[in-house]
Amino acid sequence: MIEYAALKIIWWALLGALLIGFAIADGFDMGVGMLLPFLGKNDAERRVIINSIGPTWEGNQTWLITAGGATFAAWPLVYSVSFSVFYVALLLTLFALFFRPVGFDYRSKLPDPLWRNAWDWGLFAGSAVPAFIFGVAFGNLFLGVPFRLDEDMRVVESSGLLHHLRPFALLCGLVSAGMLCLHGATYLQLRADGVIAQRARRVVAFMALFTLISFAAAGLWLTQIDGQRLVGMGDPNAALLPLAKTVSVGKGAWLSNYHVYPWMMLAPLTGFAGLLLARYCSARGRAGVAFLASSAVIAGIILTAGFSLYPFLMPSSLHPPSGLTVWDACSSRHTLFIMLGVVIVFLPIILAYTAWVYRVMRGTVTVERIVRESHTAY
């Protein structure tokens, strides 16, 4: 039987893997959606862009549902606090996501240019708003979430939407939107041809530089932010006891993990190296390698955030001991063990099926194909 403390670390790693999987799989969908109104200069070109992701976007978005379900089961307090504090932001994200299924299915049902143009911008909003808000949410974790827990473990929060739109959080939103635009551009360069691929290559060159600068700026800014550090905790084999720990607050504390665990530096180095490699390979027409490099960028940036916050999952700015960590905010040992068994059985099946789908849907989408399949394509 696996020790309870080990199960907590395993599920922290699995949650990170789910977030990275979502960002890589659904990230290029969102990146393509953000680029749709700009890279497609006419209806045929925009249909090429839409059909590059149309058959697979729904399957990709299930990674988000899976990550949410895993959070609910493994980290119930994190799920509860996030939906309480970030309620308005999550609601805006949900409303924006509504544009995606309707836009994909109904955009080409009518030939009216105004109708199609409206849905193009709807798909843009359905991609750009979630990408930006997810980054803003991560930025707010470093600034501290305005909540505390009372003696009965009830959440007391004090915030509004404007409170979350702080400068550092907005910068993190730009990092998120930039890396997903880069990811979408590398995917378009891989799946489209001709003029669309050429335009996507120019976007890769710009977005790689933009993301590199914004990511570096966020790292430098983080050194000036009051971070938190766990200096004492209760029983590591207990569940749902966040108030039993001691937390210190100090400038640059979010970077202390890199001194304790130097190997964590691999995460930001992977992000920076991936940005340079994606730009280099894209410029030389090696779109497949550029796409893999942009995937590494996403993994590196998300891991950098996770390693910097560790062991915190939801830091509190109102009462630091109320912050939720890997050790004191999780479900019971029995719950984590059963869930791990489910993951071991079903995750390989899901990955194999996903690989098969992409193998079937592989190939370049062209204007000629869209014209030929006008009544069946998106």
Side-chain angles (χ1 to χ4, degrees):
M1 204 62 128
I2 303 175
E3 293 292 331
Y4 192 21
L7 281 171
K8 294 177 181 182
I9 293 295
I10 289 171
W11 270 102
W12 174 75
L14 285 174
L15 180 60
L18 286 172
L19 291 176
I20 292 172
F22 163 67
I24 290 176
D26 205 33
F28 67 77
D29 288 348
M30 291 185 178
V32 169
M34 285 187 276
L35 297 173
L36 172 63
F38 308 104
L39 296 191
K41 303 302 182 182
N42 55 52
D43 183 65
E45 291 179 356
R46 291 187 177 186
R47 292 190 73 181
V48 167
I49 294 172
I50 291 172
N51 279 271
S52 70
I53 59 174
T56 56
W57 76 270
E58 288 177 295
N60 292 339
Q61 195 158 293
T62 58
W63 284 89
L64 177 61
I65 309 301
T66 305
T71 304
F72 173 76
W75 316 99
L77 270 179
V78 176
Y79 186 90
S80 172
V81 172
S82 61
F83 273 79
S84 177
V85 177
F86 297 122
Y87 181 79
V88 176
L90 291 171
L91 204 59
L92 286 175
T93 301
L94 182 62
F95 286 158
L97 289 173
F98 287 164
F99 285 108
R100 288 164 65 80
V102 184
F104 280 115
D105 288 336
Y106 287 96
R107 185 243 181 223
S108 298
K109 296 297 184 183
L110 296 177
D112 183 12
L114 290 177
W115 169 269
R116 294 188 173 186
N117 187 61
W119 284 116
D120 290 341
W121 285 102
L123 288 171
F124 167 81
S127 303
V129 172
F132 183 72
I133 287 180
F134 290 148
V136 170
F138 264 99
N140 275 282
L141 294 182
F142 289 105
L143 297 171
V145 181
F147 79 97
R148 62 178 177 83
L149 300 174
D150 64 15
E151 308 80 42
D152 299 317
M153 300 298 292
R154 292 176 298 186
V155 178
V156 180
E157 55 95 9
S158 174
S159 68
L161 179 62
L162 294 180
H163 176 83
H164 301 310
L165 302 180
R166 292 173 282 184
F168 177 77
L170 294 176
L171 176 60
C172 292
L174 292 178
V175 173
S176 174
M179 75 177 186
L180 295 188
C181 269
L182 168 69
H183 198 43
T186 59
Y187 183 78
L188 271 181
Q189 189 177 356
L190 181 65
R191 290 296 310 277
D193 68 346
V195 67
I196 297 176
Q198 294 174 9
R199 293 171 189 155
R201 183 170 59 187
R202 291 195 292 269
V203 172
V204 171
F206 174 78
M207 281 299 169
L209 185 60
F210 173 83
T211 306
L212 188 149
I213 293 173
S214 57
F215 183 40
L220 292 174
W221 199 333
L222 201 59
T223 63
Q224 303 304 312
I225 289 176
D226 285 339
Q228 299 183 15
R229 190 164 61 90
L230 184 64
V231 295
M233 62 180 182
D235 183 2
N237 291 314
L240 303 179
L241 290 174
L243 295 177
K245 63 178 174 293
T246 304
V247 177
S248 68
V249 179
K251 195 178 296 294
W254 290 129
L255 302 179
S256 61
N257 281 337
Y258 297 102
H259 299 287
V260 180
Y261 311 104
W263 59 266
M264 287 185 175
M265 284 299 298
L266 290 173
L269 290 176
T270 298
F272 286 119
L275 288 165
L276 296 175
L277 182 61
R279 197 173 194 268
Y280 176 84
C281 292
S282 172
R284 280 150 184 77
R286 302 179 64 183
V289 180
F291 179 76
L292 293 177
S294 69
S295 300
V297 169
I298 290 173
I301 290 177
I302 293 177
L303 286 174
T304 298
F307 289 161
S308 300
L309 288 167
Y310 178 83
F312 289 91
L313 297 171
M314 187 76 63
S316 170
S317 60
L318 296 184
H319 182 232
S322 293
L324 308 178
T325 73
V326 171
W327 307 111
D328 55 27
C330 63
S331 295
S332 68
R333 180 178 178 276
H334 189 59
T335 300
L336 297 184
F337 185 76
I338 291 176
M339 289 172 58
L340 182 61
V342 172
V343 169
I344 292 173
V345 172
F346 286 101
L347 184 59
I349 298 173
I350 294 170
L351 292 176
Y353 173 74
T354 302
W356 176 79
V357 168
Y358 276 98
R359 184 177 183 277
V360 171
M361 297 296 177
R362 71 187 186 280
T364 302
V365 184
T366 64
V367 173
E368 292 75 18
R369 173 183 163 185
I370 296 300
V371 173
R372 185 175 64 254
E373 303 173 1
S374 178
H375 295 291
T376 57
Y378 284 94

